């Protein structure tokens, strides 16, 4: 009998060692799971009301089983309490209030108890394994990992990573790439999330960072930090662009990435299923970088609109289709690479646009300033585009225009100020006709033109304005590049905030919203004060 017990003890320890090694978790966790399973089985045998503990020696396999009871004067709960006389039989020095140990005989596992214990151990081991997987992969986001395709479910690819499983969702795959079970596949660890069913490891082959990491593996200069990939944009499976810069003037960043006879870039291209890659020298100068980003098209002129955060690019007529690319691909990737909205215009388009703007501004100055066409054209030619610029610029700037003098400059500024007042008065009348409250006019940065815009959007009271989020008020309208192929896929239009056209900053938008909400907080103390006064003794 003693031999049998010894064999069982040895078997328990062997099982614990085997599970810990196979699942790559701490042996102590497996021992703890076994103890928990034994405790549950003992409670089923002796009664769930008992506070039963089990201890399994991780070296010898010896098992001790006991219940904990409290020493009391009068016993109310026979499962968890014992009187002093009974306690001193178990422990001679026991006193009232002590917790003592009542040893229990070993139990024999029946079929049901053994099955329940097995489930407890499996669950504990599974939880420990999931935690180990999460801890192992949570700090590896952004790394490239190689795995074996295990199965394909509903278009999502499940990859065996050795110690865990990852999934490449349909939108993270390279389009038209054929993946079969047992194929070895490289991918980027995009995200690791702890979920109820265990850690979820999301992989990607379509993310721009996947291409960056592939270049780092193929180009030692990138791995060493001599060359840096400053920007990357991809149309997965079709075309990509990367902007590179060298921190060593003796090394050409583009040549290093291309490699001898294109060997380095071809290795990346093959991994990305033939995706064509444009390697572009990165520049701090936005205009230069935009010109480089639109390669292979040549660019005549670049105009940067800082306020609208847009870039207007003028190209020769014969370069238009090349600059736009198939289905707008080239300009779209260039826009992603530079993080700017890009408009592509031909020389003719640009000329027509300039002429139209020139005529519109000339007519505006003629009408608003009551001047002749020649004088209005001189103002526009000198770069004046609005009444505000004429009214608020230093008088000397106007006086220095050829043919102008200080008296004329003063007169033009006076007329511009009067014209702005007329506009403000007309906007005020329109605002009142729309029923916009005077309370809104007290908000910071608010002009009558803004109030008219708010009124047309149905925002007429303080509460209407206070209910808006800041981005609903000021967020700029997001526009796609103007020139696109007719068959290019169209995205839903992003309308932007109500006052997006007025160029308010986020700080100004926040200030307006908080000012509109101020009365919400003023009402509560006032109401409280009235109640307090009503209740106070006379």
């Amino acid at each position: 009998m003693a031999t049998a017990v010894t064999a069982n003890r040895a078997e328990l320890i062997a099982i614990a060692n085997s599970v810990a090694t196979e699942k790559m978790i701490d042996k102590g966790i497996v021992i703890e799971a076994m103890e928990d399973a034994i405790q549950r089985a003992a409670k089923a045998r002796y009664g769930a009301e008992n506070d039963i503990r089990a201890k399994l020696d991780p070296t010898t396999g010896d098992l001790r089983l006991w219940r904990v009871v409290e020493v009391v004067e009068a016993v109310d709960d026979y499962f968890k309490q014992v009187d002093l006389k009974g306690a001193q039989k178990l422990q001679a020095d026991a006193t009232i209030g002590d917790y003592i140990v009542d040893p229990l005989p070993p139990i024999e596992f029946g079929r049901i108890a053994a099955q329940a214990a097995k489930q407890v151990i499996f669950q504990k081991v599974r939880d420990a394994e999931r935690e180990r997987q999460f801890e192992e992969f949570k700090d590896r986001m952004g790394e490239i990992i190689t795995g074996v395709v295990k199965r394909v479910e509903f278009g999502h690819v499940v990859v065996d990573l050795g110690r865990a499983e990852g999934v490449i969702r349909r939108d993270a795959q390279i389009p038209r790439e054929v993946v079969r079970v047992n194929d070895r596949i490289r991918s980027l660890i995009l995200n690791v999330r702890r979920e109820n069913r265990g850690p979820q490891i999301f992989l990607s082959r379509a993310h721009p960072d996947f291409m960056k990491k592939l270049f780092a593996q193929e180009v030692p200069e990138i791995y060493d930090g001599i060359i840096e990939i400053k920007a990357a944009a991809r149309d997965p499976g079709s075309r990509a662009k990367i902007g590179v810069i060298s921190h060593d003037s003796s090394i050409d960043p583009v040549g290093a990435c291309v490699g001898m006879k294109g060997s380095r870039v071809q290795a990346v291209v093959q991994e990305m299923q033939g995706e064509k890659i444009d390697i572009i020298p990165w520049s701090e100068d936005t205009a230069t970088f935009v010109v480089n980003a639109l390669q292979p098209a040549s660019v005549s002129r670049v105009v940067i609109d800082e306020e609208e955060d847009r870039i207007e690019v003028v190209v020769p007529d014969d370069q238009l289709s090349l600059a736009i690319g198939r289905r707008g691909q080239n300009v779209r990737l260039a826009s992603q690479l530079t993080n700017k909205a890009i408009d592509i215009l031909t020389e003719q388009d640009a000329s027509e646009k300039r002429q139209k703007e020139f005529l519109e501004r000339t007519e505006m100055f003629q009408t608003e300033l009551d001047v002749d066409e020649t004088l209005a054209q001189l103002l526009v030619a000198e770069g004046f585009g609005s009444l505000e610029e004429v009214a608020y610029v230093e008088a000397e700037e106007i006086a220095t225009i050829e043919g102008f003098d200080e008296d004329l400059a003063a007169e033009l500024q006076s007329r511009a100020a009067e014209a702005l007042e007329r506009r403000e008065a007309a906007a005020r009348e329109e605002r009142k006709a729309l029923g916009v409250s005077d309370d809104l006019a007290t908000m910071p940065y608010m002009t009558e033109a803004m109030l008219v815009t708010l009124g047309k959007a149905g925002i007429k009271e303080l509460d209407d304005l206070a209910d808006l989020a800041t981005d609903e008020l000021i967020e700029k309208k997001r526009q796609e590049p103007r020139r696109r192929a007719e068959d290019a896929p169209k995205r839903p239009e992003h309308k932007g905030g109500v006052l997006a056209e007025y160029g308010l900053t986020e700080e100004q938008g926040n200030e307006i919203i908080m000012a509109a909400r101020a009365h919400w907080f003023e009402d509560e103390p006032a109401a409280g004060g009235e109640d307090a006064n009503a209740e106070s003794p006379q």
Side-chain angles (χ1 to χ4, degrees), residues 20 48 53 60 90 130 138 146 148 166 173 225 231 249 252 271 279 347 354 390 423 429 454 504 523:
R53 313 287 175 86
T60 64
L90 298 172
R130 288 173 174 174
K138 69 175 183 178
T146 302
V148 177
Q173 298 171 27
S249 57
D252 171 27
E271 181 63 41
I279 304 172
E347 297 278 10
R354 287 196 303 273
V390 175
R423 283 187 181 180
E429 292 300 320
L454 290 175
L504 293 167
D523 291 344

Side-chain angles (χ1 to χ4, degrees), residues 423-425 427-429 431 441 446-453:
R423 283 187 181 180
E424 192 80 355
R428 187 179 300 111
E429 292 300 320
R431 184 258 295 180
M446 199 65 68
T447 65
E448 293 293 342
M450 291 181 188
L451 294 171
V452 170
T453 303

Side-chain angles (χ1 to χ4, degrees), residues 37 112-124:
I112 295 176
Q115 190 66 27
K118 182 180 177 182
Q119 290 300 323
V120 171
I121 294 171
F122 277 1
Q123 184 61 46
K124 286 267 188 181

Side-chain angles (χ1 to χ4, degrees), residues 468-479:
L468 295 179
T470 303
D471 58 350
E472 293 177 310
L473 183 69
I474 64 157
E475 187 180 26
K476 291 183 179 180
K477 180 178 179 180
R478 187 169 61 247
Q479 300 178 14

Side-chain angles (χ1 to χ4, degrees), residues 64-224:
R64 291 194 304 119
L65 199 63
W66 70 90
R67 69 173 184 141
V68 177
V69 291
E70 182 184 6
V71 182
V72 296
E73 290 183 3
V75 177
D76 292 326
D77 185 348
Y78 286 94
F79 293 103
K80 296 180 180 178
Q81 295 176 340
V82 66
D83 59 21
L84 184 59
K85 184 178 179 180
Q88 289 178 342
K89 292 180 180 179
L90 298 172
Q91 186 175 318
D93 58 349
T95 59
I96 301 295
D98 287 349
Y99 286 88
I100 64 172
V101 171
D102 181 12
L104 297 174
I107 60 168
E108 292 185 4
F109 284 88
R111 185 176 60 83
I112 295 176
Q115 190 66 27
K118 182 180 177 182
Q119 290 300 323
V120 171
I121 294 171
F122 277 1
Q123 184 61 46
K124 286 267 188 181
V125 169
R126 191 179 299 116
D127 291 344
E129 185 181 16
R130 288 173 174 174
E131 185 63 25
R132 190 265 307 157
Q133 289 175 356
F134 179 77
E135 290 297 324
E136 180 180 346
F137 285 94
K138 69 175 183 178
D139 297 324
R140 296 182 62 187
M141 285 188 287
E143 289 185 16
I144 282 186
I145 194 168
T146 302
V148 177
V149 177
K150 194 171 183 180
R151 59 186 182 276
V152 180
E153 297 176 344
F154 308 106
H156 306 312
V157 178
V158 179
V159 181
D160 183 358
L161 303 176
R163 301 179 183 178
E165 284 185 356
V167 60
I168 309 176
R169 294 185 295 191
R170 192 195 305 264
D171 59 350
Q173 298 171 27
I174 297 175
R176 297 176 296 280
E177 181 179 22
V178 179
V179 179
R180 297 182 179 85
V181 175
N182 295 327
D183 282 355
R184 289 185 66 79
I185 192 169
R186 282 199 287 180
S187 51
L188 179 81
I189 301 177
L190 192 63
N191 195 9
V192 181
R193 292 206 300 259
R194 182 188 270 122
E195 296 185 1
N196 292 335
R197 55 182 176 172
Q200 296 296 300
I201 303 170
F202 296 100
L203 309 174
S204 175
R205 285 175 59 78
H207 198 278
D209 284 351
F210 178 60
M211 176 176 60
K212 287 184 180 181
K213 294 294 181 180
L214 288 175
F215 269 106
Q217 290 183 353
E218 297 295 336
V219 183
E221 291 87 347
I222 294 177
Y223 182 83
D224 293 337

Side-chain angles (χ1 to χ4, degrees), residues 360-372 375-377 379-380 384-390:
E360 287 175 350
R361 291 174 180 177
T362 300
E363 290 175 5
M364 183 268 293
F365 282 141
Q366 282 184 263
T367 304
E368 299 288 359
L369 300 180
D370 191 22
V371 296
D372 60 28
L375 197 149
Q377 287 177 346
L379 283 172
V380 177
F384 290 93
S386 67
L387 289 174
E388 287 83 2
E389 290 176 0
V390 175

Side-chain angles (χ1 to χ4, degrees), residues 42-63:
K43 283 187 176 183
R45 169 69 177 80
Y46 294 112
E49 300 84 355
N50 291 287
D51 183 5
I52 296 177
R53 313 287 175 86
K55 184 66 178 175
L56 183 63
D57 190 301
T59 306
T60 64
D62 287 335
L63 174 65

